[in-house]
Amino acid sequence: DQQVKQNSPSLSVQEGRISILNCDYTNSMFDYFLWYKKYPAEGPTFLISISSIKDKNEDGRFTVFLNKSAKHLSLHIVPSQPGDSAVYFCAASKGGSEKLVFGKGTKLTVNP
Amino acid sequence: EAGVAQSPRYKIIEKRQSVAFWCNPISGHATLYWYQQILGQGPKLLIQFQNNGVVDDSQLPKDRFSAERLKGVDSTLKIQPAKLEDSAVYLCASSKGHQETQYFGPGTRLLVL
């Protein structure tokens, strides 16, 4: 049973526009959420996180929004750049555990 | 600061053979993780060490997989015997400790024929 779902395998946007990547989760015990970015032949790199006590966290061009009632989070990248082209993984953990549960990833392509 | 190192980067073996992967975490990181990432899936935690003790190995197929972290630094993950479905990228990650950011190595891509 997939507890963290990224239903869009891929997303293509134009440079300078907004990229919105979505993630849904089923386990209401999750209280910490993260986004990782992965380039080919490299390991995932931490991007941004949010605790369940917040509904928004911002870091430069990257903003994560959390809607606890809908069990949904999204990552906004504004403006998108060609170097943002990568696979983005949503991950979640619960109750102080360090165990991360990952989604399947969304491949973002930013076209010049 | 040097990142998480893993070797080898690629390995091709035949089914029923054995294989071992090595990981050197970031210096000073107490927690070490091994993940399995099958093509088209997200990483799945196999085992977590805190120093040289196992914190979570609930998803490790213990009949064929084993891992150790001697002296609380380097770690090895072994598969014996390998099956076709073990073909995946094996990622090692480390963190400073409880609820700290996990930093990933480049992974070892395993192909079992």
Side-chain angles (χ1 to χ4, degrees):
Chain A
D1 179 36
Q2 189 113 29
Q3 298 185 69
V4 177
K5 301 178 184 178
Q6 294 178 257
N7 292 319
S8 298
S10 62
L11 175 68
S12 183
V13 300
Q14 286 299 119
E15 181 179 5
R17 305 295 291 269
I18 184 171
S19 295
I20 300 176
L21 295 97
N22 294 304
C23 177
D24 298 293
Y25 60 96
T26 57
N27 192 330
S28 58
M29 298 298 290
F30 286 143
D31 60 2
Y32 190 62
F33 305 89
L34 309 90
W35 286 93
Y36 276 81
K37 178 170 73 174
K38 186 181 183 305
Y39 293 119
E42 295 183 12
T45 303
F46 170 74
L47 194 55
I48 192 169
S49 63
I50 188 167
S51 164
S52 61
I53 62 173
K54 293 185 172 184
D55 54 18
K56 176 183 174 181
N57 189 26
E58 205 169 343
D59 184 2
R61 297 185 297 112
F62 302 90
T63 303
V64 56
F65 295 92
L66 176 62
N67 182 334
K68 288 186 290 294
S69 61
K71 294 192 180 68
H72 177 83
L73 64 155
S74 60
L75 174 68
H76 292 211
I77 306 174
V78 184
S80 300
Q81 300 173 354
D84 296 329
S85 297
V87 177
Y88 289 78
F89 290 98
C90 173
S93 66
K94 57 184 176 181
S97 168
E98 294 154 310
K99 179 177 178 178
L100 295 181
V101 179
F102 283 85
K104 291 185 177 183
T106 296
K107 183 178 181 180
L108 173 66
T109 302
V110 181
N111 301 301
Chain B
E1 180 181 71
V4 176
Q6 291 187 247
S7 68
R9 292 297 308 274
Y10 304 93
K11 190 74 177 179
I12 301 175
I13 61 172
E14 296 189 348
K15 60 183 179 184
R16 291 187 289 272
Q17 286 188 320
S18 62
V19 65
F21 313 126
W22 173 82
C23 173
N24 180 238
I26 293 173
S27 177
H29 280 196
T31 309
L32 184 146
Y33 314 79
W34 282 102
Y35 288 85
Q36 179 193 57
Q37 185 180 10
I38 293 172
L39 187 65
Q41 306 286 322
K44 181 184 83 170
L45 180 69
L46 292 176
I47 189 167
Q48 175 186 345
F49 291 94
Q50 180 74 21
N51 296 309
N52 59 352
V54 175
V55 173
D56 185 342
D57 64 355
S58 58
Q59 297 190 101
L60 186 74
K62 299 180 186 65
D63 58 332
R64 298 183 301 105
F65 286 65
S66 64
E68 60 181 10
R69 190 183 184 198
L70 299 175
K71 301 180 181 178
V73 182
D74 293 5
S75 178
T76 56
L77 176 70
K78 296 179 182 177
I79 307 175
Q80 182 179 6
K83 292 185 175 181
L84 297 176
E85 58 260 36
D86 298 331
S87 294
V89 175
Y90 291 85
L91 294 160
C92 179
S94 70
S95 68
K96 288 182 182 177
H98 186 60
Q99 291 194 311
E100 295 283 343
T101 299
Q102 295 183 29
Y103 296 87
F104 284 81
T108 296
R109 185 176 297 274
L110 173 67
L111 179 61
V112 182
L113 302 175

